Amino acid sequence: MFSIAQSIASSASLVLPLPSAASTDRRRRGSETVAVPVSIEATLDAGSPRVVFGVGLDNGARDHRLRLLFPTGASHVTTARADTAFDVVSRPARVPVPATVKNESPVSSAPMISVVDAGDDAAGATVIAKGLMEYEIVGEPAAIALTLLRAVGDLSRSDLATRPSGHAGPPVATPAAQCMGPHRFEMALEPHGPAPTAGALLTSARAHNIPPRVVIARRPEKTGALIRSFLRVGPGAGDVVLSAFKQGEDRASVVVRLFNPGGEEAHATLSMDAPVHQAFAVNFLEERQEKLAIENGAIAVRLKPHQIQTIEIVQEPLGI
């Protein structure tokens, strides 16, 4: 272990003796094993609420799922929350399996985009990942199982015990989906007390996955501003999340997309680094729907629960 003033880091290495593949009849794991080396690095930066992990491995096993478990600190978890497109959804931690399965057995694993959170009224944990999109709540006390690899050799099979109805797609071999060879994964764990809001989950995930990019952009005569904010989402109430900030497709304007992942109405203000001339509510095609009021150079935005709002901002007078 080593430490410096800004961070503390630690690492561990291990070798997993994994079954090399499924058995010939595909009803169990094979008896032959293969050694899969794994390295884990953990870093805690000063002032950060998150422990950052880097996981490296060289996979030589087929037909398996490899997961990393993160304790939640909660004795019992009934639901978990994960991000999806423009929202944070809540799902049951465990899905019951009926005694008789005719088509396909339900599973308790679920999708995520970048963040999953689980806990009880007193404690919990948030896991933030890059490019890892499956989780499951397992065990008592509960832990978040984050899928690193799902090694499979076929797009669909007719002999799966969990799907007695047969194929779910074309029976195409997918040898590359066995995920053989070296892999590198990044994720972070953020323990907490009472559950954070949906907006706080997304804010934390983006702070980790999309850190600020710092570049030198000074004018030759060194007269440019040291700090410049192109867009400011002013403080308001509730959960307001910035989804997009882009140039207009066919007009001299900028487009801002916001959404509210919370269950209560939210509001905020939008302002630019230059005077705002006009503002419009637009649809996803950037077609203007209505003109918005501008007060003291800012645009007041109110979002209903789970609402998406796209706004076009014009900074210069229209030449029409």
Side-chain angles (χ1 to χ4, degrees), residues 121-154:
D121 294 337
T126 301
V127 174
I128 303 165
K130 293 183 178 181
L132 301 174
M133 308 185 78
E134 181 185 78
Y135 73 91
E136 185 177 354
I137 308 302
V138 298
E140 292 286 348
I144 298 172
L146 182 67
T147 299
L148 305 182
L149 293 178
R150 289 193 69 172
V152 297
D154 299 274

Side-chain angles (χ1 to χ4, degrees), residues 86-106:
F86 302 108
D87 208 352
V88 172
V89 297
S90 179
R91 302 184 180 96
R94 304 302 303 171
V95 179
V97 178
T100 301
V101 177
K102 294 182 179 181
N103 295 317
E104 184 172 359
S105 176

Side-chain angles (χ1 to χ4, degrees), residues 49-269:
R50 295 175 290 273
V51 181
V52 178
F53 295 91
V55 179
L57 60 91
D58 192 350
N59 181 45
R62 304 174 186 273
D63 309 321
H64 72 113
R65 177 168 61 174
L66 184 63
R67 303 192 286 188
L68 186 62
L69 272 59
F70 296 90
T72 63
S75 58
H76 183 68
V77 171
T78 58
T79 61
R81 294 178 295 163
D83 59 339
T84 184
F86 302 108
D87 208 352
V88 172
V89 297
S90 179
R91 302 184 180 96
R94 304 302 303 171
V95 179
V97 178
T100 301
V101 177
K102 294 182 179 181
N103 295 317
E104 184 172 359
S105 176
V107 296
S108 295
S109 56
M112 56 184 278
I113 294 178
S114 64
V115 62
V116 55
D117 179 82
D120 54 24
D121 294 337
T126 301
V127 174
I128 303 165
K130 293 183 178 181
L132 301 174
M133 308 185 78
E134 181 185 78
Y135 73 91
E136 185 177 354
I137 308 302
V138 298
E140 292 286 348
I144 298 172
L146 182 67
T147 299
L148 305 182
L149 293 178
R150 289 193 69 172
V152 297
D154 299 274
L155 185 62
S156 177
R157 293 188 65 92
S158 62
D159 58 356
L160 297 181
T162 56
R163 195 172 59 239
S165 59
H167 279 294
V172 177
T174 57
Q178 293 284 10
C179 303
M180 307 296 282
H183 299 270
R184 176 77 181 177
F185 308 99
E186 295 183 18
M187 71 286 294
L189 171 67
E190 185 172 329
H192 59 74
T197 66
L201 287 178
L202 293 176
T203 297
S204 182
R206 294 179 181 199
H208 175 67
N209 284 347
I210 315 175
R213 294 184 62 187
V214 180
V215 297
I216 298 174
R218 299 298 305 278
R219 295 176 180 174
E221 61 273 17
K222 299 181 180 180
T223 59
L226 293 177
I227 299 176
R228 183 178 180 187
S229 178
F230 297 98
L231 173 71
R232 175 176 172 79
V233 182
D239 294 330
V240 177
V241 179
L242 176 66
S243 171
F245 178 43
K246 60 182 287 290
Q247 197 168 14
E249 290 294 320
D250 56 8
R251 292 187 291 271
S253 59
V254 295
V255 173
V256 179
R257 184 165 296 122
L258 308 167
F259 67 93
N260 174 13
E264 304 291 336
E265 183 176 287
H267 61 85
T269 58

